[in-house]
Amino acid sequence: MRRKQLYAIILAGALAASSAPAAVFAAEGDVAATAETSEENPVDGETAAATEAPAEETLADTTAATEAPAEQAPAQEAAAATEAPAQEAAPSEQTQQTTEETPAVQETPAAETTEAPEAGEETTLAEGESTKPTAISITMKAAEEGAEDKVRYFDTIQHAINAAPEYNAETNRDATVIEVSGQIELENTVTVKANKKVCIRATNAVTITRTSNAFTDDMFEVTGENAELQFDVKEGAEGASFTVSGKISDEESASVGGSIVSVGTGAAFGMDAGVTLKENNSAANGGAITNVGGNIVLKGGTITGNNGAKGAVYSDSDIKVQGTVVVKENQPANIYLAGTSALVVSGAMTNSDISFTQEKAADKQVAVKSVENFAAADFNTAVGQIKYDTTDYTLALAENGLSATLQKKAAEATATPTPTPAPLTLKYKSGTLKWKDHTTVTLQMTTDGPCKWYYFFVDAGTDTKTIQNMYVANDATNVMSTSGSFDVTAVKVPEKDSWLVICAKPDSGAKAKMSVVKLNGSSFKKKRPAAAATTTTRPAKTYKVSESTVTGLDGELKFFPGKFYEFTVTGAGMDNTSPVQGDERWYPVYWSTKKNPTTEQQNTTWRIGSGKGIKDGASYNIYIFLKKQVYNGKEWEDATPQDIKYITGSNGKALTFTAASISDKEWNAYIAELSGTPIPDNGGDNGGNGGSGDDADAELTATAAASEKDAGSKSKSAVSTADESPIGTMSALAALSLLAGGYIVVRKRKKEEQ
């Protein structure tokens, strides 16, 4: 009678378990926000198969497979041993056969373990299961009313997942809830395989990280049909939060190969309010989530600070959103929708901040839609909390009010035959960041196209928007003429915690790229060389280029044919004879009458004149360019990046000089003096039209008499140019003779001998 009663109880428990509420995961693969009934899960090993046990199964089989209670009377033990001797070794055999996918306890027929073990009964532990409380647990609902639930403890999340019952379509059982607490470090990828549905729930402030920088693969992998993983926070648990960080180092340059969560074909991932995925700098398509062939449901939570090849979240299928979802401040995109996949609003949204990029973005392309029977007013509210990653598009509601399409900005509405330039790729080359000295770091960057680049420093913690607003296109003066890697030597690293920002402006006309390298990582800071001893007793001197002076161009200058005026440029700080480290000065380089001169228009000789002469009075701009130099403690060196500017006046505009009017009489007298042949003053214009001034600025050049002394600036870059003597200009005049040429040569030689 005892055996028959026990068998009846077991069958009743199996029937009760099979009638449990349906799973919260929808048949379409949607992941529910919470597994509300998951605490009613049966003990490990219970599946729908329990109800399919053959009716002819003998009572002897059941008794043998279920271990006898520890307090069983000796006579009963003997009877059990006599009836089923072959099964006595089953527990030890099951332990040896335990695998990652099938815990040992699952090898016991499910129909025989429906109930939690009674007091005094022995229980076979699954791999990694403990009889003592740990930070990872599963609560099994008691099979009988009034009985106590059983809590099972595990050493790792993977072992808890392995011990969870498999999904069965007939029972459609809820996801198994795995409660976690405190700090958890992952040594390997946590895998949720086919027919496993689990919800990892935080009961307090939970943080999951990588054990070390040696673990760079996916942190969680959901793969196979009916495989589902969900992150949420226990309702009502004070101070509970759930954070998963993929960071492996304090250094911005440190990167991994995997995502925080990888979702495969037929699988699903979901997250709820209180969950944060952050700081995974990855080469994977999605730094936080990569979905290929699966499903993503975001019913709350935050995704921020991640960097992936495509963005933080990459998905080739629609992503469902509802609740309060924040996906922002990720690089290079927040949500990247491959193909024509879209965002699907599956419920009311409040205070969300989501931005996305669509791979096949086009005007009127559907980007956001709703589930069936959704209120148009609620959808309109939701769309107001979603925006496109760039300013290229805005969202426009469709006529039905239940979908939104991309709409190009008005300024870009007109089609252009010019193809859109491909975006530039700018990446830090791993392992190249090093200290050169206390205030200098070196590193290598790689780019897939020609560009101009520069760098600057910002305080550690500066937000992305502020950094983007600091970009100045004209500061990009360092040239990268092809694709590949280039070296960066960043000087004057601040003493306080800082980030180094590398900016690249592509030659193709595409948008500039910025890459942030964090210099405040604890390990990198420790490697910083000590500051070199310095005898500096005063602050370093710095100057503005406008503090430079120019002499010799004052007053009205009369530009007779071949007449040249010497002028002197004294760069600000050039009189510093006792420099200290960090002192700056402005070194004269060249001058021009053009604001953006070509190489041919750059004059390095500090003399100005006109071969034809200028008769009409007028004022002209002159642009005198100087480059910044910094004293490194031993010698002056050009500033990095190179800094070349022209002198401006107090009004902020370029300097000017005045060409005075020349009368015909003065003009003829000057020519007569040069040629040695008097020219009568007949009141006519014997000077030609060389002084018309129509294009005088194009005729103002330097002579060949260039030297460091002429420059008045100790310039080492002054070079000789073609001789601008008036002989060629006057050759057309019959009055000129060989004597005039000889006279000019003599004067020139005397001048050079001085």
Side-chain angles (χ1 to χ4, degrees):
M1 292 298 290
R2 177 178 175 82
R3 292 179 181 174
K4 292 180 179 180
Q5 290 172 347
L6 177 61
Y7 188 58
I9 291 172
I10 292 173
L11 290 177
L15 291 172
S18 66
S19 63
V24 295
F25 296 107
E28 296 177 353
D30 302 343
V31 182
T34 57
E36 297 297 342
T37 60
S38 59
E39 294 180 354
E40 298 180 1
N41 285 330
V43 294
D44 178 53
E46 179 176 311
T47 66
T51 62
E52 300 175 2
E56 65 272 17
E57 185 175 5
T58 64
L59 185 59
D61 291 338
T62 302
T63 306
T66 305
E67 294 188 22
E71 298 178 0
Q72 188 175 28
Q76 293 172 324
E77 293 178 0
T82 302
E83 293 176 13
Q87 280 84 5
E88 287 182 342
S92 61
E93 292 174 0
Q94 291 168 347
T95 301
Q96 295 170 2
Q97 295 171 2
T98 299
T99 66
E100 188 174 286
E101 296 182 11
T102 309
V105 292
Q106 288 187 328
E107 294 186 14
T108 303
E112 299 158 6
T113 58
T114 301
E115 301 174 4
E118 298 179 1
E121 289 188 338
E122 294 181 3
T123 303
T124 302
L125 299 179
E127 181 182 10
E129 186 174 0
S130 172
T131 57
K132 296 181 180 180
T134 66
I136 303 167
S137 65
I138 299 176
T139 299
M140 297 299 189
K141 191 71 175 178
E144 293 184 357
E145 185 177 355
E148 293 185 0
D149 296 343
K150 178 186 176 183
V151 181
R152 303 178 65 188
Y153 299 101
F154 297 88
D155 59 348
T156 66
I157 294 176
Q158 185 66 69
H159 286 149
I161 293 174
N162 294 344
E166 290 193 352
Y167 168 77
N168 184 284
E170 292 185 11
T171 60
N172 195 28
R173 203 174 303 281
D174 296 337
T176 299
V177 174
I178 300 173
E179 293 190 340
V180 296
S181 62
Q183 173 77 27
I184 298 176
E185 294 184 341
L186 302 182
E187 294 182 352
N188 299 294
T189 301
V190 175
T191 302
V192 181
K193 295 190 176 181
N195 295 320
K196 288 280 186 175
K197 296 188 177 185
V198 296
C199 170
I200 301 177
R201 176 171 295 163
T203 60
N204 57 17
V206 171
T207 300
I208 297 180
T209 60
R210 300 175 185 272
T211 303
S212 67
N213 57 11
F215 173 36
T216 61
D217 296 333
D218 297 326
M219 297 180 72
F220 291 87
E221 181 184 41
V222 196
T223 179
E225 292 294 329
N226 297 317
E228 295 181 356
L229 172 65
Q230 180 182 346
F231 292 158
D232 73 8
V233 174
K234 188 171 185 178
E235 185 176 356
E238 184 177 355
S241 62
F242 193 159
T243 300
V244 185
S245 173
K247 186 184 208 179
I248 62 171
S249 171
D250 289 335
E251 298 177 18
E252 173 69 16
S253 56
S255 62
V256 300
S259 306
I260 292 178
V261 180
S262 175
V263 185
T265 303
F269 169 74
M271 56 185 278
D272 209 334
V275 178
T276 300
L277 309 182
K278 67 175 187 176
E279 298 175 336
N280 198 51
N281 183 12
S282 174
N285 280 337
I289 305 172
T290 296
N291 172 45
V292 179
N295 292 284
I296 300 176
V297 179
L298 306 179
K299 301 189 78 172
T302 300
I303 300 174
T304 186
N306 300 283
N307 193 328
K310 298 293 186 181
V313 179
Y314 173 88
S315 179
D316 63 359
S317 61
D318 293 349
I319 297 177
K320 290 190 175 181
V321 294
Q322 70 178 74
T324 301
V325 180
V326 176
V327 187
K328 65 178 184 179
E329 297 182 1
N330 302 280
Q331 293 293 333
N334 289 295
I335 295 177
Y336 187 92
L337 298 170
T340 58
S341 56
L343 297 177
V344 178
V345 179
S346 56
M349 298 182 68
T350 57
N351 300 321
S352 292
D353 187 353
I354 302 173
S355 65
F356 69 97
T357 294
Q358 203 168 31
E359 182 180 42
K360 295 187 177 180
D363 198 33
K364 298 182 180 181
Q365 168 69 35
V366 175
V368 184
K369 50 191 176 182
S370 68
V371 294
E372 293 183 3
N373 302 321
F374 197 73
D378 289 342
F379 181 76
N380 187 22
T381 300
V383 171
Q385 301 167 52
I386 302 172
K387 57 183 177 295
Y388 203 74
D389 270 328
T390 68
T391 57
D392 298 337
Y393 295 95
T394 58
L395 289 174
L397 284 173
E399 292 183 2
N400 62 6
L402 294 176
S403 64
T405 61
L406 296 179
Q407 181 175 343
K408 274 194 172 184
K409 289 294 184 68
E412 299 179 358
T414 303
T416 173
T418 304
T420 302
L424 183 75
T425 299
L426 178 68
K427 289 186 177 181
Y428 163 77
K429 191 171 183 179
S430 180
T432 62
L433 180 64
K434 300 181 185 302
W435 288 102
K436 182 178 180 181
D437 54 47
H438 185 71
T439 59
T440 307
V441 295
T442 61
L443 65 154
Q444 284 188 329
M445 303 293 294
T446 60
T447 179
D448 60 356
C451 63
K452 292 182 180 179
W453 61 273
Y454 78 106
Y455 70 85
F456 59 86
F457 297 98
V458 297
D459 293 341
T462 302
D463 63 87
T464 302
K465 192 68 175 178
T466 299
I467 294 175
Q468 290 174 340
N469 290 337
M470 295 173 70
Y471 172 74
V472 179
N474 290 339
D475 288 348
T477 56
N478 298 288
V479 177
M480 177 61 179
S481 59
T482 184
S483 61
S485 61
F486 59 89
D487 297 326
V488 177
T489 300
V491 299
K492 292 187 178 180
V493 178
E495 294 296 331
K496 58 184 177 180
D497 288 352
S498 304
W499 292 350
L500 174 64
V501 183
I502 313 295
C503 307
K505 178 183 178 183
D507 292 354
S508 64
K511 291 185 177 181
K513 286 291 185 180
M514 304 175 75
S515 180
V516 178
V517 179
K518 296 180 179 179
L519 307 180
N520 61 321
S522 58
S523 60
F524 189 67
K525 284 170 62 177
K526 291 178 182 178
K527 299 175 183 177
R528 185 171 190 170
T534 177
T535 57
T536 302
T537 57
R538 60 169 175 78
K541 294 180 179 179
T542 59
Y543 302 90
K544 297 180 180 178
V545 69
S546 59
E547 296 179 69
S548 303
T549 60
V550 180
T551 58
L553 295 178
D554 300 329
E556 294 185 341
L557 308 176
K558 293 188 176 182
F559 289 99
F560 291 101
K563 173 70 174 180
F564 287 83
Y565 294 93
E566 296 184 4
F567 63 96
T568 301
V569 179
T570 304
M574 289 296 294
D575 58 350
N576 186 355
T577 57
S578 300
V580 299
Q581 185 171 351
D583 276 358
E584 296 178 354
R585 72 178 186 182
W586 288 92
Y587 186 90
V589 183
Y590 55 84
W591 66 271
S592 179
T593 56
K594 305 295 183 183
K595 186 176 182 179
N596 297 299
T598 63
T599 302
E600 292 75 14
Q601 294 169 337
Q602 296 173 3
N603 299 292
T604 57
T605 301
W606 306 100
R607 308 180 75 178
I608 188 168
S610 173
K612 295 180 181 180
I614 304 174
K615 291 186 67 176
D616 297 334
S619 293
Y620 301 94
N621 290 335
I622 183 168
Y623 300 90
I624 301 174
F625 292 86
L626 302 90
K627 63 180 178 181
K628 181 188 287 187
Q629 292 187 327
V630 181
Y631 193 70
N632 62 14
K634 295 181 180 179
E635 60 183 358
W636 292 96
E637 60 182 6
D638 292 347
T640 304
Q642 190 178 59
D643 191 358
I644 297 179
K645 296 179 180 178
Y646 61 82
I647 304 174
T648 58
S650 58
N651 58 359
K653 298 182 179 179
L655 300 178
T656 61
F657 65 91
T658 302
S661 298
I662 304 175
S663 67
D664 290 345
K665 183 176 182 180
E666 291 176 303
W667 186 276
N668 293 337
Y670 182 80
I671 294 176
E673 180 183 355
L674 287 181
S675 65
T677 303
I679 299 177
D681 183 8
N682 57 11
D685 185 3
N686 297 320
N689 61 358
S692 66
D694 291 341
D695 60 350
D697 58 336
E699 300 298 329
L700 291 167
T701 58
T703 70
S707 68
E708 295 181 10
K709 181 177 180 181
D710 291 333
S713 62
K714 299 181 180 179
S715 171
K716 296 181 180 180
S717 61
V719 296
S720 296
T721 60
D723 192 349
E724 296 285 352
S725 61
I727 301 304
T729 305
M730 298 295 101
S731 62
L733 300 175
L736 293 178
S737 65
L738 293 175
L739 179 59
Y743 175 75
I744 293 172
V745 170
V746 170
R747 291 189 64 188
K748 182 175 180 181
R749 287 180 177 175
K750 287 182 178 181
K751 182 65 179 179
E752 293 176 345
E753 291 171 357
Q754 291 180 355

